Amino acid sequence: MNFQNLYAFLRALQKNNAKEWMDDNRKWYHEIRDSYIEWLTQMDLKLSEIDPNYTHTPGKKAINRINNNLLYHPNKPIYKDHFGAGLDQETKQGDFYIHLGTSESFIAGGFYKPKSSLLKSIRQAIDYNGEELKAILNKPSFKEFFGNLVDDGDSLQTAPKGFSQDHEHIDLLRRKTFAVQHNLTQKAVMSADFDNQVIKIYKEMLPFRTYLNQAVSV
């Protein structure tokens, strides 16, 4: 995969975010998209070899549309400034998300502002066994890769319904997002070692994602 070409396309698109430009450069776009789909498919196979519970997600299924949804966000540009894709996709569970863009590139996983039924299940898991989640979050190598949980700025100021203010895990129970993110430089993405880095990130994130996916599967 020529990631340098991918970033070059996105920079050009960002300067010319219009259907006319995309129509004139449709061949370039499909060249990038097809190559990225092939890379995702190969990564899908590699990840399935290290995780027995991995859900196969071929590149065509993993990749997101580059068009913004203007029906719900009419003020957004026609096209996104990134290529997004979710591997290890399973219904009602958090995927392994890869975001390659002009303004930021990162790999993330978990649940970003999940619907109330999923959030309720995660909180119940924390109430029952929050020590396990905290052990995952506080592991030194995990901290090195991801830092803290993604801050959505929307945590509760009080305890959620059914939980006490002095609950030992109240800091987690107040949260509405349970996700982590590893930021990437374009240089890192374009390096020969990028595939190995993706695998390392997947492995480090796996216990966190497993905890959450088991929580919402109960």
Side-chain angles (χ1 to χ4, degrees):
M1 171 74 204
N2 187 343
F3 288 108
Q4 184 174 359
N5 194 25
L6 178 147
Y7 282 120
F9 172 83
L10 289 174
R11 285 192 294 269
L13 175 61
Q14 192 173 34
K15 294 178 181 177
N16 306 276
N17 201 311
K19 185 179 183 301
E20 294 76 14
W21 184 90
M22 179 63 90
D23 288 342
D24 290 341
N25 292 273
R26 188 71 59 179
K27 183 178 179 181
W28 188 13
Y29 166 66
H30 281 292
E31 175 190 331
I32 301 291
R33 185 178 184 274
D34 291 348
S35 182
Y36 189 43
I37 286 173
E38 182 179 351
W39 180 82
L40 288 167
T41 298
Q42 292 302 312
M43 187 56 61
D44 178 66
L45 294 173
K46 290 178 181 179
L47 296 180
S48 69
E49 292 175 357
I50 63 175
D51 178 6
N53 297 313
Y54 183 89
T55 300
H56 272 295
T57 314
K60 281 189 177 180
K61 180 181 178 181
I63 194 169
N64 296 339
R65 287 171 52 85
I66 199 168
N67 299 68
N68 275 313
N69 190 333
L70 301 182
L71 178 64
Y72 296 102
H73 304 283
N75 295 323
K76 284 191 173 184
I78 297 176
Y79 304 105
K80 300 170 184 175
D81 65 352
H82 64 273
F83 282 95
L87 293 170
D88 193 21
Q89 290 188 25
E90 178 68 33
T91 304
K92 295 183 180 180
Q93 298 196 349
D95 60 17
F96 181 70
Y97 178 69
I98 302 173
H99 180 112
L100 304 179
T102 52
S103 58
E104 59 178 352
S105 295
F106 60 85
I107 294 177
F111 290 85
Y112 186 80
K113 295 186 178 181
K115 61 182 182 180
S116 58
S117 60
L118 297 181
L119 182 57
K120 181 179 179 181
S121 294
I122 293 171
R123 284 174 172 162
Q124 288 174 340
I126 292 170
D127 181 43
Y128 176 72
N129 186 15
E131 294 84 0
E132 181 181 347
L133 178 57
K134 283 193 170 178
I136 293 170
L137 298 176
N138 291 326
K139 183 182 174 184
S141 58
F142 189 91
K143 285 280 189 183
E144 182 179 350
F145 271 85
F146 308 112
N148 299 315
L149 287 169
V150 172
D151 184 4
D152 65 356
D154 202 25
S155 294
L156 297 174
Q157 297 300 311
T158 59
K161 185 177 180 180
F163 297 97
S164 170
Q165 283 277 21
D166 59 0
H167 193 289
E168 61 178 327
H169 305 308
I170 191 62
D171 55 328
L172 290 174
L173 293 171
R174 284 175 174 161
R175 300 187 64 89
K176 293 186 178 181
T177 286
F178 293 87
V180 292
Q181 177 175 311
H182 179 88
N183 295 323
L184 300 164
T185 63
Q186 291 186 20
K187 182 178 180 181
V189 174
M190 293 186 290
S191 72
D193 191 50
F194 182 53
D195 285 18
N196 290 331
Q197 287 300 311
V198 173
I199 292 171
K200 288 180 181 178
I201 294 167
Y202 184 89
K203 287 180 176 178
E204 192 64 48
M205 194 190 296
L206 186 55
F208 172 73
R209 293 180 58 242
T210 298
Y211 179 95
L212 296 176
N213 287 337
Q214 287 177 344
V216 301
S217 298
V218 175

